[in-house]
Amino acid sequence: MTDGRTGERRRAPGAGPHGWRAATEAALYGPDGFYRRPEGPAGHFRTSVHASALFAAAVAELLCRVDAALGRPAALDFVDMGAGRGELVTGVLRALPDEVAARVRPYAVEIAGRPAGLDPRVAWRDAPPASVTGLLFANEWLDNVPVDVVETDPAGVPRYVLVGDDGAERPGEPVTGADADWLARWWPLPAEAGLRAELGRPRDEAWAAVAGRVVRGLAVAVDYAHTAGARPPFGTLTGFRGGRETRPVPDGSCDITAHVALDACAAALPAPARLLTQRDALHALGITGARPPLTLAATDPAAYVRALAGAGEAAELTARGGLGDFGWLLRPAGIPDPLG
């Protein structure tokens, strides 16, 4: 079968255990995979897009800044990678000023079928356009690019972890080749039994493939993330089902996800890139979570209630220990950093 995120040929699951990468690819993106289910991701977990319309408004503001940096071209691309059921692209179109919305070419990139009722302006595709002038935005996309898991054996040797359809694991062959090189550079494991890592090389390649299509503008990835020097010693692989974290089982019944080594993704392309937290990114885009002044409650109680609700939503999007700790990877192409 073909890896739906990278285009690489992968071994189809059979009777025996497989590496987590192959097993996850089939479980998430196969014919009956999790991401083809009708309820979509929103039926199982909450992202920033689902938390508040303020997130789409912030992305719309970012698109406007990219538009200004590009000199307000006649056609402005907006690419929503891993679009789910079109929630983000829909929110962005609603939040854009009319003058910008009239020039936007919106694309939603997703393997599931086009949802009913989606704005007809949105081009629904299984891959981004070959050339992008504008903003490519990948919100919680990279964490679902399947990766292999490795674990050190009693001798301290990293070995691939094999997994059956029921989630039962056993050790496989030692890590070699390009995976070993990636591990040594980005997630070196001490010679201690039981330590785990997720091999992020497929994510580096996936990011380079899509971000490299932005000829002028900005590519952004937003995700659960960690960087060198603070890698979790036992990895982050987990599952989600029905709004709850659960044991990852590659049978199509749950999401399977792992945090992203965004620093490795940043180095996958030669152009300058920048990492920052979602909290700092949204603050730069005007989403602060500041409470409205109490004087507004006396002069316009309804406006105060609306502003207070908005402040609560902004606080969730920027919260420490929550969504605010997500990583943002920015890669400008031919324009200054719009958040610089």
Side-chain angles (χ1 to χ4, degrees):
M1 69 180 172
T2 300
D3 185 318
R5 298 291 172 142
T6 66
E8 179 178 327
R9 293 292 297 176
R10 302 297 294 164
R11 180 181 57 162
H18 319 282
W20 268 106
R21 184 181 177 192
T24 300
E25 174 66 27
L28 297 185
Y29 308 114
D32 299 314
F34 178 84
Y35 275 99
R36 298 186 186 275
R37 294 170 61 150
E39 70 272 19
H44 296 273
F45 50 86
R46 179 180 174 87
T47 72
S48 296
V49 177
H50 308 126
S52 172
L54 291 174
F55 188 79
V59 177
E61 168 63 21
L62 181 58
L63 180 58
C64 289
R65 294 187 189 187
V66 171
D67 179 47
L70 291 170
R72 297 179 173 81
L76 176 68
D77 296 325
F78 174 65
V79 181
D80 180 7
M81 287 296 304
R85 297 302 178 265
E87 297 95 337
L88 178 60
V89 68
T90 297
V92 168
L93 289 174
R94 287 174 179 165
L96 286 173
D98 291 343
E99 188 278 327
V100 179
R103 293 183 286 109
V104 164
R105 295 187 298 197
Y107 298 90
V109 181
E110 181 57 64
I111 63 164
R114 183 187 183 97
L118 186 69
D119 191 313
R121 291 175 292 174
V122 178
W124 192 265
R125 305 167 55 122
D126 61 4
S131 176
V132 175
T133 299
L135 174 62
L136 181 145
F137 200 88
N139 184 60
E140 296 196 42
W141 173 68
L142 282 171
D143 69 293
N144 285 125
V145 173
V147 292
D148 275 314
V149 177
V150 304
E151 183 173 326
T152 49
D153 66 14
V157 175
R159 292 180 175 271
Y160 293 101
V161 176
L162 305 182
V163 61
D165 293 341
D166 61 354
E169 296 181 337
R170 69 173 177 82
E173 295 296 316
V175 180
T176 59
D179 283 343
D181 293 341
W182 188 94
L183 193 66
R185 180 180 180 187
W186 293 109
W187 200 331
L189 293 173
E192 177 184 337
L195 301 181
R196 289 168 69 112
E198 292 106 24
L199 292 172
R201 185 174 60 87
R203 292 168 171 179
D204 300 351
E205 294 168 354
W207 173 247
V210 299
R213 300 190 185 205
V214 180
V215 293
R216 292 187 68 227
L218 181 69
V220 180
V222 180
D223 239 307
Y224 300 97
H226 46 63
T227 55
R231 307 283 192 220
F234 302 107
T236 63
L237 188 76
T238 191
F240 284 93
R241 182 192 298 114
R244 294 180 179 273
E245 190 169 6
T246 187
R247 174 173 171 254
V249 178
D251 61 0
S253 68
C254 66
D255 184 30
I256 299 173
T257 181
H259 294 198
V260 182
L262 275 181
D263 50 348
C265 294
L269 288 168
R274 182 159 72 106
L275 292 173
L276 66 164
T277 66
Q278 173 156 298
R279 180 170 48 258
D280 290 340
L282 292 183
H283 285 175
L285 291 167
I287 307 297
T288 66
R291 293 173 62 90
L294 285 173
T295 53
L296 183 62
T299 59
D300 191 339
Y304 178 77
V305 171
R306 290 194 299 270
L308 193 62
E313 293 176 4
E316 180 182 1
L317 291 174
T318 58
R320 297 183 186 276
L323 294 173
D325 290 344
F326 273 44
W328 280 45
L329 168 57
L330 277 65
R331 180 187 179 265
I335 64 169
D337 183 342
L339 298 185

